[in-house]
Amino acid sequence: HFPERLQSLSLVSTTPGFDSLSTEEVRRFVTERKTRSPENVRKLLGSRARPEAFDTLWQSVSATREESYRKTLEASVAQDRGAPIENIRVPTLVVSGDEDTVYPPQLARETARRIPGAELVMIKGAGHLVNLERPGRFNEVLLDFIERQERKS
């Protein structure tokens, strides 16, 4: 509601709404996440995730109360389905892992395509949690974007 308050925008491992996914993909998303198991959590990570990424993630998931986890899952599929991202008018960076199984890379490409002038960065070997899996590369990409925006203003 207040676009003048926004100087730039970074969208990381996200989608503008579940309408971007087929009914089957939404069903699979919910089904795969109803059970919190080490195997399901491991599927979130890409092939080049730092070794301690799984332990950090599993500790976080395990510490989340079951009710909170379910509500988060429910909310994630009920997000704004009609997000008019084509109306974004600030410099935008879209970041995704090229091995993301939650929001596959095609969704990131489509998101970036829909936002005028958006930049897209795919982090190689990363899954859904790029900042946890490849923090050095993620920080490099994000800081470069922010610094370029600061130089423009």
Side-chain angles (χ1 to χ4, degrees), residues 2 24 28 33 39 55 57 73 81 97 103 110 114 117 121 134 137 141-142 144 148 153:
F2 301 96
E24 181 56 35
R28 181 177 53 85
R33 283 154 191 84
E39 296 76 30
D55 291 334
L57 178 58
L73 184 59
R81 297 175 189 275
Y103 299 133
E110 181 63 14
R114 289 176 56 194
V121 174
R134 307 274 321 276
R137 178 68 179 128
V141 165
L142 189 59
D144 174 66
R148 285 186 287 119
S153 53

Side-chain angles (χ1 to χ4, degrees), residues 103-122:
Y103 299 133
Q106 182 54 36
L107 290 177
R109 286 189 280 276
E110 181 63 14
T111 297
R113 185 195 64 74
R114 289 176 56 194
I115 300 170
E119 296 178 34
L120 172 65
V121 174
M122 300 299 278

Side-chain angles (χ1 to χ4, degrees), residues 53-117:
F54 172 77
D55 291 334
T56 302
L57 178 58
W58 181 243
Q59 286 175 356
S60 176
V61 169
S62 297
T64 305
R65 292 181 348 179
E66 187 64 33
E67 181 181 357
S68 297
Y69 179 78
R70 274 197 316 275
K71 285 183 178 183
T72 299
L73 184 59
E74 291 167 7
S76 69
V77 296
Q79 57 187 294
D80 180 6
R81 297 175 189 275
I85 62 173
E86 294 82 1
N87 296 336
I88 294 173
R89 295 292 183 258
V90 295
T92 302
L93 173 66
V94 178
V95 180
S96 179
D98 69 346
E99 297 177 13
D100 190 340
T101 59
V102 177
Y103 299 133
Q106 182 54 36
L107 290 177
R109 286 189 280 276
E110 181 63 14
T111 297
R113 185 195 64 74
R114 289 176 56 194
I115 300 170

Side-chain angles (χ1 to χ4, degrees), residues 9 11 21 30 42-43 51-52 62 76 91 98-100 102 108 116-118 123 125-126 129 134 141 145 153:
L9 178 64
L11 300 173
L21 302 175
V30 172
R42 193 171 298 283
K43 290 178 186 177
E52 57 275 5
S62 297
S76 69
D98 69 346
E99 297 177 13
D100 190 340
V102 177
I123 297 186
L129 301 157
R134 307 274 321 276
V141 165
F145 177 74
S153 53

